[in-house]
Amino acid sequence: MYRETKYLIAGEKALVIEFGNEISEKINSKVRAMMIAIEKNNIEGIIEMTPTYRSLMVHYDPLKKDYHSLLKQLQLLESQMDKIEIPLPEVIEIPTVYGKEFGPDIENVAKHNGLTVEEVIKIHTSREYLIYMLGFTPGFPYLGGMNEKIATPRLKTPRTKISGGSVGIAGSQTGIYPIDSPGGWQLIGKTPLKLYDAYRESPILLGSGNYIKFVAIDENTYKRTEEAIKNNTYVYKKYPKERVGK
Amino acid sequence: MGQIKILNPGLLTTVQDEGRVGYQQFGVPVSGVMDYFSYKVANILVGNDEKEAVLEVTMLGPQIIFEEGTVIAITGGKLSPMINGKAIPMWKSIHVKKDDQLSFGGMKEGCRSYIAFAGGINVPEIMGSKSTYMKGKIGGYEGRPLKKGDKLKIGSPKESLLKLTGRAVSAKYIPEYKNSLEVRVLLGPQEEYFTEKGIETFLSQSYTVTNECDRMGFRLDGEEIEHKEGADIISDGIAFGAIQIPGHGKPIIMMADRQTTGGYTKIANVIYADLERIAQAKPGDIISFKKVSIEEAQSILKEVEERITAIKKECVAREIIDTKEYRLKINGKFYEVKVEEIK
């Protein structure tokens, strides 16, 4: 983390608040806290924000607030961060069927790491993964914190079509494809949850700075969940993440 | 409520508005029009809200038949618009009748035209916008460019068609699109990743627009811009007009359909007022960059807004009350003269 936060110009309608130059949970939690603090303060002129691994891009309207006044206001807010109550991040459960046609590469992952398929599932479901940011395609989460024991290189030949909801591993990263797309990840499972639905009230399911937890389910539960989502009766399982070290 | 039918879609014709605001944090690109000035003026000319959706036409225009009379306006790049085969002026509101056909001839200047219809285009808003985001298959008409046979509903005009006809933009406001342009930039957010020589190259050399230029970005060719160490950063946000310099050292200007985040160093941002000129650039055109300060950039932005307000005032003031046509004979030659009485 930088000693002093950097405020960078990104054109006359955006500025970047950069907290550090590495991927770390601590820096990312600063990004989330700053975003919540700005939202809470309802600063005039701010249009929207793009949180990323280690920085927050603030898009604003200079006709409502010029660069220097905005900069001052944001720096003041940053200095008062300790006084602003930031809620605990949320964990959302991602029910996932592992293996078979849902995760055709799970054997590869097991073999590559000298594990059984059951061990791969156990390791993959044992952690909460931080959503550092969303990008690439609508709703695609950049997750961190996967156990190196199940790290596996990408496929040599990428698939031309991976169906939305597929859960995969690429190197020491894990992720979920929100929509059908080509890709080279090792597919280990699939979730019936829709990470992205343009026609839903909240089109994107996940939020950066929060966490996800994969939960292994069987095929019947998958079908029931899929049906419930279609009928809008599915209740998402969410809970606040425990504060570590406090 | 009227309807138009697409007889031929042209090269790339999409429904666009201001863009999809508020979803960048979820990875949804803003999209929207490439040339804001032409877009806003087109809407003003037909009496729409400035944020109403229009058709954005690229290089080769479409052929459209009107199934009901309406008022339209065409702004932006000079793509030679015609009604029933007869050239019509741009930057002016035009009354079209049922069964009239709008078509386009060749591209004379610029690259993108905007067609606004009195009453706007009735397509559903997706995430608060009518803009087509092609890659995400959302917005506009079924989330895709227009195809032959598509029918678009046109909304009801806010004022009578007669009142809207004849609005025009003064010549002094109409932009010229040249093949060589100097655009103003604000350095950052990653100017520190470049050597002094790199920044110097960027600000002194000119760059050529390559064939790889679309709604997502413009790849330029020219002298390599030198980085201190590497071209990669930990991904961060990308604003409209950001200039990325990847490892090969050649600039890429990020446009309307840009992705929300990216991992290449960004040396500068084109100021908003000059993005409309980049939007009108085409392969082979030359671009050079001139540095301005944040204060200058924000005051230029104010001027742009004032210019649009002035155009609006003028357009409304130029409302035509009556038209008379005369045939004059001067020195043995006949002239047809049309006289418009304005408010």
Side-chain angles (χ1 to χ4, degrees):
Chain A
M1 189 151 356
Y2 297 140
R3 263 224 187 130
E4 202 177 316
T5 304
K6 287 185 184 174
Y7 286 80
L8 308 167
I9 289 175
E12 80 272 45
K13 296 174 108 183
L15 65 81
V16 178
I17 311 172
E18 196 174 273
F19 297 98
N21 194 17
E22 59 198 309
I23 298 174
S24 92
E25 298 216 357
K26 214 173 137 195
I27 294 174
N28 197 249
S29 77
K30 276 254 181 193
V31 174
R32 175 175 174 270
M34 191 71 193
M35 182 160 165
I36 291 171
I38 292 172
E39 277 169 352
K40 274 192 172 175
N41 274 271
N42 219 351
I43 298 177
E44 207 217 343
I46 292 182
I47 298 164
E48 63 175 313
M49 291 179 270
T50 316
T52 63
Y53 282 113
R54 53 167 183 144
S55 68
L56 183 65
M57 180 174 258
V58 178
H59 303 270
Y60 67 102
D61 179 357
L63 300 175
K64 292 208 174 115
K65 180 155 288 169
D66 67 67
Y67 172 74
H68 295 286
S69 345
L70 181 64
L71 181 68
K72 244 188 236 161
Q73 207 170 348
L74 291 175
Q75 280 171 330
L76 181 68
L77 188 62
E78 195 205 337
S79 71
Q80 298 168 340
M81 283 284 274
D82 303 344
K83 293 179 201 142
I84 296 163
E85 201 182 317
I86 306 296
L88 284 175
E90 214 170 50
V91 183
I92 181 166
E93 285 188 5
I94 308 289
T96 306
V97 191
Y98 287 90
K100 289 197 198 159
E101 73 267 31
F102 298 95
D105 305 321
I106 202 163
E107 309 256 351
N108 283 351
V109 173
K111 227 179 272 171
H112 181 83
N113 292 291
L115 300 166
T116 65
V117 166
E118 286 66 37
E119 283 170 322
V120 171
I121 298 171
K122 207 179 152 208
I123 294 170
H124 194 253
T125 53
S126 68
R127 283 189 184 178
E128 288 160 352
Y129 300 99
L130 170 63
I131 305 162
Y132 278 104
M133 57 188 261
L134 296 161
F136 179 55
T137 56
F140 180 87
Y142 286 83
L143 302 173
M146 195 182 76
N147 195 324
E148 290 286 338
K149 282 183 190 161
I150 51 173
T152 314
R154 284 162 203 264
L155 293 175
K156 283 204 179 89
T157 315
R159 288 186 170 87
T160 51
K161 194 186 161 187
I162 290 174
S163 65
S166 293
V167 174
I169 287 174
S172 52
Q173 251 188 302
T174 186
I176 313 163
Y177 286 95
I179 49 175
D180 295 355
S181 58
W185 292 34
Q186 303 271 1
L187 304 183
I188 60 169
K190 195 174 177 191
T191 177
L193 299 192
K194 282 198 157 135
L195 270 56
Y196 166 67
D197 178 356
Y199 302 95
R200 189 165 57 195
E201 201 193 340
S202 309
I204 311 290
L205 182 64
L206 306 176
S208 64
N210 287 318
Y211 290 77
I212 64 167
K213 177 133 193 332
F214 294 103
V215 175
I217 55 167
D218 58 25
E219 281 178 47
N220 283 331
T221 315
Y222 181 97
K223 276 177 199 142
R224 275 204 311 276
T225 310
E226 199 177 33
E227 199 59 31
I229 285 171
K230 216 182 270 169
N231 300 328
N232 262 328
T233 56
Y234 182 75
V235 182
Y236 293 92
K237 294 188 184 79
K238 295 178 182 176
Y239 49 90
K241 180 165 171 64
E242 277 173 51
R243 212 180 283 273
V244 188
K246 272 199 183 171
Chain B
M1 196 163 59
Q3 185 169 270
I4 57 166
K5 191 179 165 189
I6 308 300
L7 300 177
N8 178 338
L11 189 64
L12 174 70
T13 302
T14 56
V15 177
Q16 298 292 345
D17 61 13
E18 260 211 331
R20 206 156 271 115
V21 178
Y23 292 90
Q24 290 192 78
Q25 62 169 299
F26 303 112
V28 181
V30 179
S31 304
V33 292
M34 296 276 278
D35 172 350
Y36 275 76
F37 178 74
S38 301
Y39 156 68
K40 285 191 176 172
V41 174
N43 272 326
I44 290 170
L45 284 168
V46 297
N48 287 348
D49 184 295
E50 280 164 43
K51 295 176 179 180
E52 184 50 67
V54 300
L55 291 184
E56 183 180 89
V57 168
T58 315
M59 303 249 268
L60 284 170
Q63 202 180 344
I64 295 170
I65 186 160
F66 296 90
E67 299 195 339
E68 203 175 299
T70 185
V71 167
I72 62 165
I74 299 163
T75 59
K78 288 185 188 167
L79 305 190
S80 318
M82 295 176 280
I83 291 286
N84 303 328
K86 223 176 123 189
I88 52 164
M90 294 181 63
W91 304 92
K92 196 173 181 208
S93 67
I94 285 166
H95 182 232
V96 291
K97 299 184 295 293
K98 183 179 185 306
D99 295 329
D100 273 355
Q101 274 191 36
L102 171 68
S103 62
F104 290 81
M107 183 176 73
K108 281 188 185 149
E109 216 182 82
C111 183
R112 291 181 166 80
S113 295
Y114 292 85
I115 314 171
F117 304 88
I121 302 172
N122 274 356
V123 292
E125 281 190 4
I126 309 290
M127 298 184 221
S129 166
K130 292 178 180 176
S131 283
T132 314
Y133 168 40
M134 293 179 276
K135 251 182 137 183
K137 299 188 179 73
I138 57 167
Y141 190 85
E142 297 177 356
R144 59 164 172 81
L146 297 179
K147 280 201 295 216
K148 184 180 173 176
D150 285 348
K151 287 182 174 185
L152 271 92
K153 293 253 186 310
I154 302 301
S156 307
K158 285 191 174 170
E159 294 165 74
S160 77
L161 294 184
L162 187 72
K163 258 186 133 178
L164 293 173
T165 309
R167 289 183 170 192
V169 177
S170 307
K172 65 177 176 195
Y173 293 123
I174 299 174
E176 274 178 54
Y177 306 115
K178 300 196 173 117
N179 296 331
S180 171
L181 57 152
E182 183 186 73
V183 299
R184 291 160 292 184
V185 297
L186 270 169
L187 289 182
Q190 276 97 37
E191 83 238 58
E192 283 175 21
Y193 282 68
F194 298 89
T195 60
E196 237 173 79
K197 192 184 148 213
I199 301 270
E200 164 74 24
T201 309
F202 171 67
L203 293 172
S204 62
Q205 298 301 308
S206 48
Y207 290 85
T208 312
V209 178
T210 67
N211 283 323
E212 285 172 87
C213 61
D214 57 19
R215 286 188 37 88
M216 200 167 166
F218 280 56
R219 284 173 186 266
L220 309 182
D221 199 10
E223 199 170 313
E224 235 175 86
I225 294 159
E226 191 180 74
H227 289 91
K228 277 182 191 156
E229 281 162 32
D232 296 350
I233 55 161
I234 299 168
S235 289
D236 71 356
I238 302 177
F240 195 3
I243 306 174
Q244 290 185 328
I245 313 285
H248 56 49
K250 314 276 168 83
I252 305 173
I253 307 176
M254 305 303 287
M255 300 300 283
D257 277 351
R258 71 199 174 279
Q259 68 274 28
T260 55
T261 59
Y264 292 131
T265 40
K266 294 171 287 294
I267 194 166
N269 251 269
V270 176
I271 69 167
Y272 177 85
D274 289 351
L275 279 171
E276 63 184 65
R277 296 194 293 138
I278 307 253
Q280 295 293 350
K282 48 194 180 300
D285 286 358
I286 308 289
I287 298 180
S288 59
F289 303 102
K290 187 190 163 205
K291 185 176 119 176
V292 292
S293 70
I294 182 84
E295 293 81 11
E296 282 174 85
Q298 295 194 335
S299 88
I300 295 165
L301 187 67
K302 255 186 212 135
E303 284 164 24
V304 174
E305 266 330 291
E306 283 161 10
R307 190 161 31 124
I308 290 172
T309 310
I311 291 170
K312 201 171 181 174
K313 263 193 198 154
E314 245 186 52
C315 277
V316 177
R318 255 192 63 97
E319 185 188 305
I320 294 164
I321 301 167
D322 195 19
T323 342
K324 286 191 176 81
E325 284 180 39
Y326 301 96
R327 208 170 140 84
L328 300 178
K329 191 181 172 188
I330 301 170
N331 292 339
K333 270 189 179 172
F334 281 101
Y335 294 88
E336 275 180 14
V337 178
K338 195 171 157 189
V339 178
E340 291 174 344
E341 185 188 346
I342 59 170
K343 205 175 175 179

